[in-house]
């Protein structure tokens, strides 16, 4: 199974540098929150991971949809969604657009309060054009050592953030197709740019890189995809602080965000305008973006409680969550903003 979109090693390396360097262009000023949510200046403080995965945010901003709703943004780059959880609970952020994690569930169980109000990237499930794939070392595929997912039992797989991160959940979703769980493999916590050298030197047997790194790995003949997340799988979303849920700007922010999602193509092939917005905002090469598979988005960005249920179950079984009695997901999710945006 080889995807049709292939990039050079140089392009992937350049993107890695761009992700590291793009923070200064999109960082808002640090400020303390007001009683009604938002900064002292009235701006909505949004924590995000600078990535095309969160395209609705950048598109809505560039197209003026937040301005139309009377919303001013302060964008604060984060290294991971887990970094933003305490900032949400302490009213240092109003909104976080990021990946979910086992640590997020642990924080909720320990009394940290925030709401999941929306979804972000949804896996298209296309084995030829998926933004995330389970890449297996080519030598293992060529000699027949690995021919199906079940053959990965006991083998080492590189995952950005480790088993308790969004990538760990996506891996679990792919392993499930072969009757395996996270407990059946060894997981090495490897940043996405580090997965290619690890595959090359044999320190991991497989990895879960995102595009364009996955495409670069395939083009170099280092690995090939054995599986992709099923259509509808998601591990990212939109979170509101407990204070911001009741804020005057909460609905306007979400309505604008949903308008940004509606500008994105359902098949992942975006307009030149969208690609230019992402290139300008993230400091990425536009040709790299055009060649990279992208996630799809629901037009109303409705939250996906079934996916949250699945994540919680996966991480409890993998002992990444410190509790054993599942949280009631209904108490975590607030779908009212998406419903209002759709209406």
């Amino acid at each position: 199974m080889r995807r049709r979109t292939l990039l050079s090693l140089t392009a992937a390396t350049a993107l890695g540098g761009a992700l590291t360097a793009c923070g200064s262009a999109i960082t808002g000023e640090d400020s303390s929150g007001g009683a009604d949510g938002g900064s002292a200046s009235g701006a909505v403080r949004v924590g995000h991971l600078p990535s095309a995965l969160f395209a609705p945010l950048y598109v809505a901003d560039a197209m003026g949809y937040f301005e139309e709703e009377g919303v001013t943004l302060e964008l604060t780059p984060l290294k991971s969604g887990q970094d933003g959880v305490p900032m949400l609970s302490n009213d240092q952020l109003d909104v976080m657009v990021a990946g979910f994690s086992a640590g997020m569930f642990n924080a909720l169980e320990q009394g940290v309060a925030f709401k999941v109000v929306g979804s972000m990237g949804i896996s298209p499930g296309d084995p030829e054009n998926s933004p995330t794939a389970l890449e297996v070392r080519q030598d293992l595929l060529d000699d027949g050592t690995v021919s199906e997912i079940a053959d990965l039992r006991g083998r080492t797989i590189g995952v950005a953030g480790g088993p308790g991160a969004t990538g760990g959940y996506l891996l679990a979703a792919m392993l499930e197709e072969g009757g395996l769980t996270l407990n059946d493999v060894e997981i090495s916590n490897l940043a996405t740019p580090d997965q290619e050298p690890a595959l090359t030197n044999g320190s991991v047997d497989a990895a879960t890189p995102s595009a364009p790194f996955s495409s670069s790995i395939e083009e170099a003949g280092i690995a090939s995809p054995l599986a992709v997340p099923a259509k509808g799988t998601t591990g990212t979303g939109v979170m509101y602080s407990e204070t911001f849920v009741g804020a005057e700007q909460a609905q306007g922010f979400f309505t604008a965000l949903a308008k940004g999602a509606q500008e994105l193509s359902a098949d992942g092939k975006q307009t030149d305008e969208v690609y230019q917005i992402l290139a300008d905002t993230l400091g990425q090469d536009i040709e790299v973006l055009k060649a990279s598979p992208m996630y799809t988005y629901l037009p109303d960005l409705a939250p996906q409680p079934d996916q949250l249920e699945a994540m919680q179950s996966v991480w409890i079984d993998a002992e990444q969550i410190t509790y054993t009695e599942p949280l009631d997901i209904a108490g975590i999710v607030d779908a009212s903003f998406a419903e209002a945006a759709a209406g």
Side-chain angles (χ1 to χ4, degrees), residues 132-136 149 152 157 171 174-175 206-208 224-228:
T132 298
L134 177 55
E135 301 279 352
V136 177
I149 294 174
L152 292 173
I157 302 176
L171 172 61
M174 291 183 280
L175 290 175
T208 57
S224 291
L226 189 63
V228 301

Side-chain angles (χ1 to χ4, degrees), residues 11-12 49 117-118 133 143 159 182 223 240 249 274 285:
L49 278 70
V117 299
D143 68 12
V159 177
L182 294 179
Y240 277 7
Q249 294 178 305
V274 167
D285 185 280

Side-chain angles (χ1 to χ4, degrees), residues 1-6 126-129 135-136 138 141-142 214-226:
M1 176 171 57
R2 181 170 291 274
R3 287 173 286 170
R4 59 179 176 270
T5 305
L6 298 177
D126 181 354
E128 300 298 322
N129 201 39
E135 301 279 352
V136 177
Q138 197 63 48
L141 295 170
D142 290 345
S214 53
S215 300
S216 171
I217 287 168
E218 294 169 20
E219 186 178 61
I222 296 167
S224 291
L226 189 63

Side-chain angles (χ1 to χ4, degrees), residues 46-51 53-54 76-89 92-93 95-108 112 114-116 120 160-161 164-167 235-240 315:
V46 183
H48 66 114
L49 278 70
S51 168
L53 174 59
F54 306 111
T76 301
L78 303 170
K79 291 183 178 179
S80 71
Q82 185 58 28
D83 291 342
V85 168
M87 298 176 73
L88 276 178
S89 66
Q92 294 173 294
L93 289 177
V95 181
M96 184 165 68
V97 181
F100 302 122
S101 68
M104 180 194 82
F105 283 97
N106 285 329
L108 287 165
V112 173
F114 57 89
K115 293 290 186 181
V116 176
M120 271 283 125
T166 305
T236 58
V238 186
M239 289 147 273
Y240 277 7
W315 284 324

